[in-house]
Each structure stands twice: as C-alpha cells, then as structure tokens.
Amino acid sequence: MLCTFILLVVSFLVNSAKRPSFPPSCVGAAHEFLALVDGQCSYCRIRETNRTYCILYLRSNMLKSKTFVKKTRSGGVMKIVREHYLRDDIWCGSEICTECKQESTVLQKDSCIESDLCSSPHYLVPDTNVVLHQIDVLEDPLIRNVIILQTVLQEVRHRSAPVYKRLKDIIHEKEKHFYTFTNEHHRDTFIEREPGESANDRNDRAIRVAVKWYSHHLDTAESDGLKVVLITNDQGNKEKAEESGLLVYKCEDYIKSLLANPELVDRLALTNDETKDISSSKVLFPEHLPLSRIQMGIKGGTFLQGTFRASRDNYLEATVFVQGEGEETTEVILQGLHNLNRAIHQDVVAVQLLPREEWVAPSSVVLLDEREAKDEDDTEEEEKEKAMKIIADDAARKPTGKVVAIIKRNWRPFCGMLNSSLIKESTRHLFTPADRRVPRIRIETRQAAALLSQRIMVAIDGWPRHSRYPHGHFVRSLGAAGDKETETEVLLLEHDVPHQDFSQAVLSFLPKMPWSITPEDMAVREDLRALTVCSVDPPGCTDIDDALHCKTLENGNFEVGVHIADVSHFIRPGNALDLEAANRGTTVYLCGRRIDMVPELLSSNLCSLRSNVERLAFSSIWEMDDKANIVKTRFTKSVINSKASLTYAEAQLRIDDTNMNDDITNSLRGLNKLAKILKRRRIEKGALTLSSLEVRFHIDSETHDPIDLQTKELMETNSMVEEFMLLANISVAQKIYDEFSECALLRKHPAPPPSNYDILNKAAQSKGLAIHTDSAKALADSLDMAKVDGFPYFNTLLRILATRCMMQAVYFCSGMDSNFHHYGLASPIYTHFTSPIRRYSDIMVHRMLAVSIGADCTYPDLTDKHKQSALCNNLNYRHKMSQYAQRASVAFHTQLFFKSRGIVNEEGFILFVRKNAIIVLIPKFGLEGTVFFDNKDKTGPKLVFDEEGPSLMVEQHIFKIFDKVKVTISLDDSNVQHQKIRMSLVEPEIPGVSVPVPEVGPMAKKPKLDV
Amino acid sequence: MAGLELLSDQGYRLDGRKATELRKVQARMGVFAQADGSAYIEQGNTKALAVVYGPHEMRGSRNRTLHDRAVINCQYSMATFSTAERKRRPHGDRKSTEMSLHLKQTFEAAVMTQLYPRSQIDIYVKVLQADGGNYSVCVNAATLAIIDAGIPMRDYVCACTVGFVDETPLADLCFAEESGSSLALALLPRGGQIALLQMDAQLHQDHLEALMDAAMTACKGVSKVLDEVVRRHLQEVSVLTGE
C-alpha cells in the first residue's frame, strides 16, 4: 500500500477551530483524522485525484516515543529520547495469507514437522532463551518454518554475538524458511512497557502478543488449521501464554514429540534445573560473584580481568593474561580445581590475587585428567594438587590467584570422543575433547554404543556448582576415529579452518573457460613474453605464484624481474569470490592435502605461472649494478610466458653444470650471484637466520599413507628465490606506504621482550657460552660464534631454541600502528606481495600497488583503515590457525608412519628438562617427544629437579639440556583419541628406568617412493 | 556490548523507518506576532524556531552596506535545554558560528537580495530540541519564516541530512544515526540547484553519487511537506481575513 517509498508523515498542529477542509464526505465522520493512502481516504474510499504523491496522515497513535535513561562513561545519567514509528506495511511472511500484500513469502503453506503434540501444520515461535540455548537444535535441517521475532533477535544480539551470527546464518538459508517478523514496529504487536514491569517481562509479553496476533491473523478459511506454536522454557511465560489461549510447549517436550528424528533429542542443551539437583550432591565449587560486584572490584583493583588459558600439560593449572596499562600484560597463575572454579580455556574471567605467602611457582609436572568418571572422592585430586606445590624460593613465585567470576564464556563446539561408560544402558556419558585444555564434558545420549568409536562434536551448556564436569549435548558425528579423513576433518574443525567446497555463488565469479588473454588486456599491459622468465619451486608445486628473470643491459647493469601471478585481475573486490578468499585468508597445506584459498581453476591453472603458456603477471623490475645496488625500480602489470618451471634441485643442477650455457641457465647464474650479495648485505644489517626442522613425507600414491619421512634440505637456490622475494616485498611495501600512508597493509615482526630469551641464555650458559640479545645483530653474531667442538649439531639446536623465543610476525594497517620494524629480517618496512595465490594479504597488496601505479581503480574498502585493520586481524588469526593445523597434520602423519614402522631406535638431544620428564628432539625425523620418568602404577625412580640448571637427577644420572640420549620410539595407541608417540630411554642406561634395546620391528610395508 | 544496529536485515532503521523514509514533519507559520516572519518546525524530535526581521535599514555598522543587494544576517543558537546534557553556552561557540555562516550562505543563494539594495534581513534560528539534522531543520524553519515575512525567494530551500550505513544511504538522520558519515544538502528543489552541500566525514567517491541521489530525493520530499504547510497556512489566513 505504500507504493512510493517516501513516507511523508504529516499531522496538524492547528487547533480544532482551524482544521483544514477535508473532502466533504470525511468531514464530521466518525474519524477525527484523515487517513489518505495513495490519494484515497482509507476510511471513506473516496478517491482524491489532485494528489500525485502518497501521504499517510497517520493517526496519532502511530508515533511512539521511547524514553530511557542510560549511564554514561563518566558515571553520569543521561536521558535518551528516541522516536518509534509503528507501521502497517509489515507483512506476516506466510504463503497462506491473502491479506498481506507481500511480494515474496518465506513461510510455507504445508509446514509439516510431524509431532505427537501438534499434528496439524504449524509455525514455531521460539523465545529468546530457547534461541540462545538450543541453537544447535534450530540449526537442524528438520526444523523449518520458524518465526523469529525482532524482540528475540535483538535480545539475542545483545546477549551473545556468536549465537546471533549463527541465527542470522540460518535466517539467510532459504531452505530453512526462517522469517523475521519486525513485531516492534508493527502497529498491532507493539506494546509499551507498563509501570513496574521489568524489561524481560515486557519482552516476554511482546512475544506473547506477537504470537497471539499471528494466531488470529492466520486463522482464516484457507489456513487449513495452521497453528502458531510458542516454544518457551520459562514456566511463568508458559502459564501466561496458556491463559491467553496460545498453543505453547516447552522446548524439550516439543523436540521429544518429533517423530521424524529422535536423535534430535541428544542435541538439546541441558537446562540446569538447579532445584532438582541441589539436594542430590554436595557443592564442589565456590559461587561466581554477580556482575555488579565484579565491575566494582575491577574498577577498585581488587579483581583483575583477563583471558583464561588452561595449561596443555596439566589440567589443574592455568594462567590468566591480564592486560595492564598500555602494552604490558601480567600473568596470574591458577592452581587447583577450586581456584580454576569452572573456567574453561579462552573464557574471559575475573581473578582475585591470593595473599603473597600463598603464591606458587608454575609447576613443571605433566598431569592428565585420566581418572574414571564415577569416583566422586576428591582425595586423589588433593594429593595431586599437593604434589604440584613445590617449595620454591621467592624469586620463582609468580602472582597466584583464583577465579571469582566468569565475565564472558567463549565456548565453541568441541571435537572429541565419548568415554565408554561402565554401565551399558546408561544415557549419561563423559566426553573427552581433543583439545587437552578443555575439561571433559558430561552429555546425555541414547546412541552411545554407535558413537563410541566415532569422533563427535559436543557443545557445552553449563557448569553447575555441584558438578565435577560441565554439562553439554551432542551436536554431530564426524566419522570413525583413527580414519584419515575423520582425523583431518577434526583437525580442520579444531583449528577453525574453513574447508567446505566453494559455493555456487563463489564459483560463478570465475572466468569462463576457455580463457585467453584478450586484446584489451594486452593494451594495458607490458608485453614481456619475449623475456627468459623461469620459475623455481618445491617439487610437485602446482600453484606457482612467482617467476624470475635476469638479463644484462648494454650499460653493464642487470635487469632483474620478479613476476607474480596477477590474482587480483581475477578476483574483483567485494564479490562472493573475494569475500570467501578474505575469510579463508590463506591456503592451508596439510600432509597430502591442500585446502585452497581460491578455487582450483585459479590456483592451479589460470593464475599459476606454468611454463610455456601466456599468463598475466604483476612484475617488479629493478635495474641493478654488479654490486646489487638498485639503480631503478618500477612496477608494471604484464603478460609473461615462462620458459621453464624448475624445482630447486633442477635449478641448482643447471647452475652447477658448467656445460650448460643456455639463456635460462645464464639467467639463473646472474640471479644467484646477485642473491648472494643481497643476502650478505642483509645479514650484515642484522637479519637472523633461524632454524626449525621441517619434515617432508613421502606419501604412498594410492593409500596416501606416509611411507618415509625426511627433513627438508635447503639449497642455494632456495635462498636465491627467497632473496628476490624479500627484495620485491620490501620495495612494494615502501611503494604502497608512500601512496597509502593511512591504510597500507604491512607486516611487522616485533622484537621479543628480553625475558623471552631466558631459556636460550640458560641453555648457552650450560655450555659456557654467552648469547647477546640486545639487538638482532648481536643475536645473529653470537649465534654464529656459538660453536662447541665435537658437537656440530649444537649450533642448529641453539637456533631452534632461538626460534622459539621469537614473537609472531603480524599483518597490520599502517594507519593504526607506528612501529613497522621487521625484527627477523632487519627491515624497516615489510609486506607480503609474492604469493597472492595462497595468501589474501598479497591480493590486498596487489590492489594497493595497482592503484598506486594507476593500473587499477580504487574502491571504498581499500582506503578504510578500520576495515583494513579488521581484515588484518582475521588474516593473522587464520595464519596462526593454519600453522597449528599444519603442525597437527604433521604430528598425525608421524604417528601413522610409526604405526607402520613399529618400534624404532634413534638418537636425540634433550631440548628441555621438566620436573618429571625430559623433552627430546630427534633430528632425523624433526620429531619432539617426552620421556616420562614417573609412572602411574608403581613408584618411580628418585627424581631431583634443579630449577637453575635446569637439570634433572634420575637416580644417579643427571640430565641436562643438549645431552645426547638414545630412545626407542613407538606409537602409544592406548588412547584412541590422543594417540601419541611414546619415547623411552635406552641410553644412558639407568636401572629401572631405561628399557633394553628392542629389536627393530620389521617394516610393515616395502617403501616405494614417489618423489 | 554490541553497538546499535542502524539498519536491520529487514530494512528497518532504529526507529522503524525504512532507509529512504523521512521523519514526521510538523510545522506552523506565523507563530510570533511582533516579528516580520516566524515559523516553528518539528522534524521527529528535532524542534526549531525561526524568526525573520526585515528587510530593514542597516543597523549597527553601516560600512557593511551593499549597494546592489541586501545583507543577510544569520544567527544560530541552541537552547540550553536542547540536548541530553545541559549546555552552558547557547551561542557564540565555534560550532554555532560556523552554523550561522552556513545558514547565511544558504540564504544568500536563495533570497532575491538584489530587490533590496542597502538593506538588511535578519534570520534568527534557535534549536529547541536537538535530535539529529540540526542544520537541515533550521534551514527548513528559516525558509518558512522568510515566506511568512513575504520576502521573495527563488524557490523553497529544503534541506536534509543523509548518511551511509551498510552500503545503503539513509535519509533524514536522527541523532543516533549521525555518528557515521553524514552529508547535509540544501536544495532549491524546482531547478535542482544546490544551495549548500556539506560533509565533514570520510566517504569513498564511489558512494558519493548514491548519497547525493538519496539527498536530492529526500529534499524534494521535504519540499512537498513545506509546500503543503505554506498552502494550508495561506488558506487559514485567507479564511480569517475573510477573503
């Protein structure tokens, strides 16, 4: 009825004596105000022709004003007045409705969810708490035709951002038929808060009014007995709804009544019915304080707010990182179940510091929560707690505290496995998450037998005071445990890596095949097809994003070019493909599997700079003299035709082979020569060369099982390519920063705080060496000097330790930060430009560079520093998670490898010494493992731990860092979920501790390598 | 706590309007007997009074006299009680001075000043309650007051504030919506000439066109309402004078 979108709302201020002239039939009629719609009075239906636009003379009750008081930041009280317009053009969204003039409907006519309780078709209206707690159920494909009221949506938005996001995702999904009804602005469903009524009560009433309106509205001849059902768990609300004649069910009752899918019951979140349980068992945990006291406490300094990080190794210990003034953070240690007080990894908590004399040192014990679910006595726990508390001197003691309240829960669905229950028919089970920092969760399920050997997902619902474990519910099953597919799925889910197939919307933005370079492309690009360009990559690489060339100019200088795949030509800003890539952030490389950031057509074909095909590139071309000084730099979009795709080894062979003198080889030699100079200069400036062991699996081509593994070798050509990539990145960083000083996407690597170097210093001192860590240059120099005679591997070990002292390099937006320095590379400015196929940051940098050379146009989000900053946060998060996922994947494949190899004896070095264990690194496999000295069942050997060394005396033998040991490696699959590599000591021989040298098991399979 | 959702997925704004819809406008002309022209306007919760004196002889410093046209003198002020927190200085601060200048520029473009050489026209506007779009509401009020005073103008001057949220232009912003980028446009709607265009936020140029279109449409919407008000006022007056 509002045909034009300008709703002009006019009413009269004139008093009754001066009322304007109405059309004759309206004057004196029963209505006091004139309602004209589309030039027609909606009461008298008389058409008035001289009005061309549509005016709605609203009745005076269509405008409400919302007044409320708000506390301001400075503590004052502010009165806020807002207008609130009511409308009569909000439609019900149902197919059966003939009254509403809606263009498209969401809710289906035959909305059939078969249920015992309600046999006729019905629409569901959940209230806020049902949405908040039972979002897992709502997400099920079975639940369709749901009306989400605006009141509910707003409350959910206010109370939980993650649930709000999930709810919005459901609403957007067409097959779910979720309709949002803007009841707060609807003329008939808006209600005002009554005096003395709380905000919650008002909202409940608003929901009831809306449901009532729907029932009446849809109660027409065509409706076929269609019902509207209110779903609530609130007893009071339910009673009131029944009083006013609404159809209302409790969530549990309704879900249980569903005929189609009885498994859905398992997904119901357990509502903690405090009254029922409180008598049944004793209270285990202290109460959480109310929010008001927490706020006062934090302001007054008695409580500290921070993020709770559970310890990976010890389930009774955790740290809370408290953000202090500015940059500094303090760590507070929490020990013991009581002090952890139901906080779960990643929650934001309030902690209270204990008195100084109760402070403890972080224990170096490795403790796993492995006891049976049933035993409720706490004696064992207390003993363990006692065992942890060592009498440490004052220096080692750290601030210690206890959790007094949880400010924000940060629960997500957890992957893991069900523990087998002692009683077969029991419906209550314990679930062990894959992440060891998360406690076990108690769930109720009737399909336990089927789920036992499977990996499942479980969400936490709550953690009552009298329960040893949090309560949760089953979400879905991922597949059989130990299965390679399932395990990969688990590690992708646990690391939040988006890995679904690309949607049709995303694929629709791909270029149409067959694709070729058009004359329009050629017109705006430099034609570099004649150049001798080649690419050098690891073997088996299909997403080639960089290629190089080098030629001698007439003046004796060199022209060096780095050509990068022009991905930003194919991915245009703002479309679905771009958004998907921005969300994924990076390609994730797992062993034997790659999770692409962009669809394969781009990553392995159109963008990949393969040899002997014409490809679009973004080139950075320098003129350099023979001392590798840059004379001139330019950037251009280009077309190239790579002459060869080489592996590092092939390129190295060509350079070394004096018989070869073709263009490609000469070009490589030129590059290699310049790269050496560049590298030397960079190291002189203080760039660090660190070390970490990377392993490569040889994967069986059919079964995809790992059959051999070797550490990656580095050749001269690796560093050649790396040098030019660094050079390109630095040049581009400078260019885009000059152009976009406020919003350039850069990468920085902060210098680590001095305390990070403690381990390194201690380690070096044990060999009588000193490491200077005042600057990157000093560190690099002293690492070079650190050599021990007869121990060639020492230097590598030291570099591995140094790597662990470093901070994480991060992306940031230049307008939001002032410190750009890259510590590791000793460069004042740095960014990522050279791998746009696998990193989204590079795509952004490409776009900025394209704008700054006038090759492409700018777009709004590119210059918005807040959006850039948000993007950087996502990229950093994805980058971190992808690294963790890669490590987890390597670990999983290492296990598979040792499973097939049986028991192996290897030499290794001690990397760290703990209170009851040593951590050993096996250089051959790049593998790290823990050798435990205490034993669960029997009394262990005598252990004396020295904090200062650090050293550990086992019986008579003293273990120190860097000691060489011999261990046997085998797979411990006693716990299916946490299969781990078990190492036991072989040499030095300690009676009662070390094991005899076992026979090396026969190889399970003849290895056939596919390199 | 999440911030305000300025535009819901269903296309409704905080107060229930759609993106292009204006607030409820109520206006009255001739509210004061002693001034030459006066008007009171309410645009949603923003309320303003405008009073016009003149054209009359130059007062105060005569050296400002222009020999070919009239001088327009504007003064903008906000009532101490117009905002949620009481304000000490109702006028004379930098913001008010700037606003006065903007108003002056706007009306120099619209009033036919060349008809009154060597004279002066005073326009005083006071915001009684501020809830977004103060400049626009003042321009609309002043337009009505000038018409009430019988001073010839090229056209109505209609003003409206528009903002940009979630890639969508919003017309006639209320205070809560004004935090982001907002653009104020004063338009002579018949010819589509711009009397004043002001924006002091960052906006990408790609969005400017959409925003301008929305502003123009909104101003034309306002002009219809103002026209209605003027016609009604004349009708009433003519009834009272017995013509």
Side-chain angles (χ1 to χ4, degrees), chain A residues 246-265:
Chain A
L246 301 176
L247 206 50
V248 51
Y249 299 122
K250 281 207 157 189
C251 190
E252 279 88 332
D253 299 340
Y254 179 77
I255 298 296
K256 278 177 190 155
S257 77
L258 294 180
L259 301 172
N261 197 354
E263 283 86 59
L264 209 54
V265 178

Side-chain angles (χ1 to χ4, degrees), chain A residues 483-617:
Chain A
D483 194 44
K484 205 164 340 124
E485 296 295 309
T486 314
E487 296 302 324
T488 310
E489 177 83 13
V490 167
L491 74 90
L492 289 174
L493 279 171
E494 278 293 292
H495 295 100
D496 197 11
V497 176
H499 59 283
Q500 305 82 359
D501 291 338
F502 288 99
S503 69
Q504 278 308 316
V506 171
L507 296 176
S508 70
F509 286 98
L510 290 177
K512 302 282 168 292
M513 293 301 282
W515 173 86
S516 64
I517 296 172
T518 60
E520 291 85 61
D521 289 333
M522 290 302 293
V524 294
R525 286 167 184 272
E526 208 167 315
D527 187 355
L528 302 179
R529 285 177 293 184
L531 284 175
T532 322
V533 175
C534 65
S535 63
V536 186
D537 284 286
C541 176
T542 58
D543 48 349
I544 304 171
D545 33 27
D546 51 84
L548 300 157
H549 88 268
C550 172
K551 79 173 183 198
T552 318
L553 296 174
E554 283 164 7
N555 61 4
N557 284 352
F558 295 96
E559 183 192 86
V560 179
V562 168
H563 311 276
I564 307 296
D566 192 5
V567 182
S568 63
H569 175 84
F570 296 99
I571 302 184
R572 303 309 298 167
N575 67 26
L577 178 57
D578 180 51
L579 297 180
E580 181 68 27
N583 179 39
R584 294 190 177 212
T586 173
T587 293
V588 181
Y589 295 89
L590 304 181
C591 302
R593 187 171 167 196
R594 187 176 83 196
I595 290 108
D596 274 324
M597 180 181 80
V598 296
E600 196 172 0
L601 177 68
L602 290 181
S603 66
S604 302
N605 186 359
L606 297 186
C607 290
S608 181
L609 302 178
R610 298 188 296 188
S611 54
N612 301 319
V613 282
E614 287 176 8
R615 287 286 176 255
L616 301 180

